[in-house]
């Protein structure tokens, strides 16, 4: 399963980098493959591991902010693995060139 998610703490001011960094550390320490993007983080793994990690991240942010908005996009394809890199490679193959990506 691939999951892209964004967590927005509300009520903590305009500088969010310290809060985001705390979540990214949790993701990095999880052992799941991930890519940090400018507007979201994408992780890949088994459904239960992915959803558990996203909820841990949400709950960590709830400890830091009075209100948290979390958005999640899931791509779940039976038997598919390595899709975080594979999806980009598929588009590059069609275009026959490298494309900028996170």
């Amino acid at each position: 399963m691939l999951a892209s998610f964004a967590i927005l703490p509300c009520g903590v001011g305009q500088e969010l980098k310290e809060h985001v960094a705390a979540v990214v550390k949790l993701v990095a320490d999880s052992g799941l493959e991930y890519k940090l993007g400018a507007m979201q983080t994408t992780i890949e793994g088994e459904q239960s591991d992915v959803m558990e990690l996203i909820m841990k991240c949400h709950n960590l942010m709830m400890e830091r902010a009075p209100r948290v908005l979390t958005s999640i996009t899931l791509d779940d394809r039976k038997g598919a693995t390595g899709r975080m890199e594979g999806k980009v490679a598929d588009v590059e193959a069609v275009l026959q060139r490298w494309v900028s990506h996170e």
Side-chain angles (χ1 to χ4, degrees):
M1 168 183 275
L2 282 177
S4 288
F5 68 102
I7 299 177
L8 176 63
C10 300
V12 293
Q14 291 186 350
E15 285 295 326
L16 303 178
K17 62 188 171 202
E18 297 294 329
H19 301 292
V20 172
V23 168
V24 172
K25 181 180 183 332
L26 186 61
V27 171
D29 291 346
S30 75
L32 293 181
E33 185 177 350
Y34 75 97
K35 289 207 181 281
L36 175 64
M39 301 294 293
Q40 82 285 322
T41 300
T42 302
I43 56 178
E44 184 169 13
E46 294 297 318
Q47 183 185 59
S48 59
D49 297 332
V50 167
M51 297 309 294
E52 180 181 357
L53 177 57
I54 292 172
M55 287 311 302
K56 282 182 180 179
C57 293
H58 176 85
N59 291 333
L60 173 63
M61 194 63 78
M62 283 298 302
E63 294 173 9
R64 302 173 69 96
R67 183 178 183 188
V68 176
L69 302 174
T70 298
S71 62
I72 306 167
T73 302
L74 302 174
D75 182 353
D76 200 3
R77 184 175 175 185
K78 291 181 180 176
T81 59
R83 298 310 298 156
M84 193 174 327
E85 299 294 333
K87 290 173 80 119
V88 174
D90 290 346
V91 171
E92 290 175 335
V94 170
L95 295 175
Q96 297 182 340
R97 68 178 180 91
W98 179 85
V99 296
S100 179
H101 57 87
E102 296 178 327

